[in-house]
Amino acid sequence: MNSSKFLAGRGRERLTPEELILLEDSGSDVQAVEARRTLVRRGEPVCSSMLVIDGFVCRAATDNQMVSLHIPGDFVDLDGFKLKRLDHDVVAIGPVKVTTYSHDALAILSERSRLTEAFWLSSLLDAAIHRAWIFRIGRLEGEARAAHLFCELHARLEMVGLAEDGSFGLPLTQLDLGAALSLTAVHTNRVLRALREQGLLTFRNRQVEIHDRKALAKLGNFDAAYLYASDLNAPSGRPLDG
Amino acid sequence: MNSSKFLAGRGRERLTPEELILLEDSGSDVQAVEARRTLVRRGEPVCSSMLVIDGFVCRAATDNQMVSLHIPGDFVDLDGFKLKRLDHDVVAIGPVKVTTYSHDALAILSERSRLTEAFWLSSLLDAAIHRAWIFRIGRLEGEARAAHLFCELHARLEMVGLAEDGSFGLPLTQLDLGAALSLTAVHTNRVLRALREQGLLTFRNRQVEIHDRKALAKLGNFDAAYLYASDLNAPSGRPLDG
DNA sequence: CGCGCGCTTGATCAGCATCAATTCGCGTGG
DNA sequence: CCACGCGAATTGATGCTGATCAAGCGCGCG
């Protein structure tokens, strides 16, 4: 598995080919991580950050509240580069592949290129997604809450080519899903059944099939604007030709 | 009111005096904003960002869910500098004073200094606070939720010298508080009464008095680590003497 | 084959929303 | 000066959403 495919995620389309090469050369080889492994524990000093290449990685706060869910192309703990420790655990959900970037390497990269801005942008997108999670948990109830999360995941996965026809792999248990939705596993199960019975989506065998994308978005009050997809793919403020 | 007092908030202690001067010179004069004014509406193109000098500013998502609450020293919509529009409204809660920074000025600043990193750091702190809000709303119930929020506000205000002896001004109505806590105004009222009757805190006339800080933190499961206060005030990675 | 984990379903209970009404504080105009 | 109006605070009554407790099922794996 080559990491370069995902280097261009999260607005890094704006980078020049030279910058992308610089970025790729600074990362480690791809490393495999087994499912359920805790990659970073909260509070521990960290000296490197990870780019997800394959699989799903989550960030978990106190009482196992999931606060973030990362897909291939996401840097998981760029926070650690600037803050030197994390305020949450980082856990692989299924089997995962990552590349790591030592903070020393990132520091050198920052000196030599506009990559600092790319990283900042990535952090801003994380923050925007966090805000959507606050809204989801704070204002939507059961079915709508799940619908909103599935819409988000679909949109994000589609941006990196990992969703097709409303269908994508999602190696979460219903307990994991509950941790993200802030619902018990029991209630998550009932919510999934309700969505299935309404013909909106099925989630079985680690595979999501969205049957009615429009209705799902409506139920979940989902507006993808906060993912800034079009902006990121649009030509940047940088002059087009040099 | 001079803005320089708050330029050093949010980890900007790390900046050199020259950088601080550069920053101060790039901002507008202090502008007064009346209470309840919407400063930026979601989706609108933005071409400047704001630093809060006095008062409270919040960010509100769909259905009036508050997703963020900003105090003097916070940049409210630095997001807009990189993303060019916001995924939420920005609203003054009480009467507020701000200085604005045009994105052109910020771009020039970025070129000339390490300010990009300071801004990035500020965004990372916002994200960390967002995560704490997800935990609070997702895992804590009524009283604990309110306790956690009051602890956060106290800690943040103390960092910029706006809280003393567990007491600080907070110009929110109970409805506003409910929007932040994701509770109805009615239930917010009952929760406040419960906290008062337990001798933990009183909130009256826009003034918070924390009577038992330790017990409040315990009830709210509050650990201030996510605010990175000590890290920000500690000497930075930058060489101490030049 | 049996154990464990995840999924599923039923029954009961608690936290909070909702609806409704009253009171309080305060600025405004008669 | 007082009546009025309006937003905010407060309190009561009722109902819904989702937690909790409990039990059974399916399936992969040692």
Side-chain angles (χ1 to χ4, degrees):
Chain A
M1 171 102 36
N2 188 307
S3 72
S4 61
K5 176 179 169 193
F6 290 112
L7 286 175
R10 281 299 183 90
R12 291 188 292 277
E13 297 80 358
R14 297 186 181 200
L15 298 176
T16 64
E18 297 76 40
E19 286 166 335
L20 280 173
I21 289 169
L22 205 57
L23 184 57
E24 182 169 8
D25 289 348
S26 303
S28 72
D29 288 343
V30 173
Q31 300 163 338
V33 178
E34 73 267 32
R36 299 288 146 196
R37 174 78 166 279
T38 296
L39 296 162
V40 186
R41 217 166 288 277
R42 101 161 63 176
E44 280 179 356
V46 288
C47 57
S48 64
S49 296
M50 288 175 303
L51 177 66
V52 182
I53 302 300
D54 188 42
F56 289 73
V57 172
C58 76
R59 307 201 249 178
T62 304
D63 205 7
N64 202 34
Q65 172 68 48
M66 194 184 296
V67 293
S68 186
L69 187 49
H70 292 279
I71 68 173
D74 290 358
F75 266 101
V76 181
D77 50 4
L78 261 181
D79 314 59
F81 175 43
K82 288 276 126 184
L83 295 169
K84 298 307 171 196
R85 61 188 168 84
L86 302 183
D87 47 81
H88 51 263
D89 294 339
V90 176
V91 184
I93 291 205
V96 165
K97 293 192 173 67
V98 299
T99 59
T100 62
Y101 290 77
S102 77
H103 291 171
D104 291 343
L106 290 176
I108 293 170
L109 277 180
S110 289
E111 295 289 327
R112 291 214 205 140
S113 67
R114 295 182 314 112
L115 284 169
T116 299
E117 293 185 49
F119 293 151
W120 180 14
L121 184 62
S122 182
S123 299
L124 290 175
L125 290 175
D126 271 352
I129 292 171
H130 288 339
R131 287 190 290 274
W133 284 47
I134 294 172
F135 162 69
R136 177 191 302 145
I137 296 178
R139 281 288 181 271
L140 302 181
E141 55 193 33
E143 294 177 28
R145 205 183 289 179
H148 189 282
L149 178 60
F150 284 116
C151 286
E152 174 184 307
L153 289 175
H154 181 261
R156 288 170 60 191
L157 288 166
E158 204 171 39
M159 286 166 73
V160 291
L162 291 174
E164 267 182 34
D165 274 343
S167 168
F168 55 92
L170 189 71
L172 308 206
T173 64
Q174 292 185 4
L175 196 78
D176 295 325
L177 206 54
L181 294 171
S182 198
L183 296 175
T184 59
V186 171
H187 203 67
T188 301
N189 181 282
R190 297 193 221 271
V191 163
L192 289 174
R193 170 155 52 103
L195 294 179
R196 198 184 324 126
E197 287 173 353
Q198 288 168 64
L200 294 178
L201 125 173
T202 57
F203 173 40
R204 264 173 31 207
N205 290 113
R206 300 158 189 217
Q207 190 73 19
V208 175
E209 314 266 351
I210 299 180
H211 302 124
D212 189 338
R213 210 168 149 181
K214 207 159 246 176
L216 194 71
K218 186 177 175 193
L219 173 62
N221 219 309
F222 181 76
D223 174 358
Y226 70 91
L227 296 172
Y228 296 89
S230 56
D231 311 68
L232 299 180
N233 296 320
S236 72
R238 188 165 48 82
L240 282 175
D241 210 355
Chain B
M1 169 105 32
N2 189 307
S3 72
S4 61
K5 176 179 172 193
F6 290 112
L7 286 175
R10 280 297 182 90
R12 291 188 292 276
E13 297 81 359
R14 297 186 180 196
L15 298 177
T16 64
E18 297 77 38
E19 285 166 334
L20 281 172
I21 290 169
L22 205 56
L23 185 57
E24 182 169 8
D25 288 347
S26 303
S28 71
D29 290 341
V30 173
Q31 299 163 336
V33 177
E34 74 268 31
R36 298 289 147 193
R37 174 77 168 277
T38 297
L39 296 162
V40 185
R41 218 166 290 274
R42 101 161 62 178
E44 280 179 356
V46 289
C47 57
S48 65
S49 297
M50 288 175 303
L51 176 67
V52 181
I53 302 301
D54 188 44
F56 289 73
V57 172
C58 75
R59 306 201 249 178
T62 304
D63 206 6
N64 202 34
Q65 172 68 50
M66 195 184 296
V67 293
S68 184
L69 188 49
H70 292 279
I71 68 173
D74 290 357
F75 266 99
V76 181
D77 51 4
L78 261 182
D79 315 58
F81 175 42
K82 288 275 125 185
L83 296 170
K84 299 306 174 196
R85 62 189 167 84
L86 303 182
D87 47 82
H88 51 262
D89 294 339
V90 176
V91 184
I93 291 206
V96 164
K97 293 191 175 68
V98 299
T99 60
T100 62
Y101 290 76
S102 77
H103 291 171
D104 291 342
L106 290 177
I108 293 171
L109 277 179
S110 289
E111 295 289 326
R112 291 213 204 141
S113 67
R114 295 183 314 113
L115 283 170
T116 299
E117 294 185 48
F119 293 150
W120 180 14
L121 185 62
S122 182
S123 300
L124 290 174
L125 291 175
D126 270 353
I129 293 171
H130 287 339
R131 287 189 289 274
W133 284 47
I134 294 172
F135 162 69
R136 178 191 302 146
I137 296 179
R139 282 289 182 268
L140 303 180
E141 55 195 29
E143 293 176 29
R145 205 184 289 178
H148 189 281
L149 178 60
F150 284 115
C151 287
E152 174 184 307
L153 289 175
H154 182 260
R156 288 170 62 191
L157 288 166
E158 204 171 38
M159 286 167 74
V160 289
L162 290 174
E164 267 182 36
D165 274 343
S167 167
F168 55 91
L170 188 71
L172 308 206
T173 65
Q174 292 185 3
L175 196 78
D176 295 326
L177 207 54
L181 295 171
S182 200
L183 296 175
T184 58
V186 171
H187 203 68
T188 302
N189 181 282
R190 296 193 224 269
V191 163
L192 288 174
R193 170 156 52 103
L195 293 179
R196 198 186 322 129
E197 287 173 352
Q198 289 168 62
L200 295 178
L201 127 171
T202 56
F203 174 41
R204 264 173 30 205
N205 290 113
R206 298 153 192 221
Q207 190 73 19
V208 175
E209 314 265 350
I210 298 179
H211 302 123
D212 190 338
R213 210 167 149 180
K214 206 159 247 174
L216 194 71
K218 185 177 177 194
L219 173 62
N221 220 308
F222 180 77
D223 174 359
Y226 72 91
L227 296 173
Y228 297 88
S230 56
D231 311 68
L232 298 180
N233 296 320
S236 72
R238 187 164 49 83
L240 282 176
D241 210 355

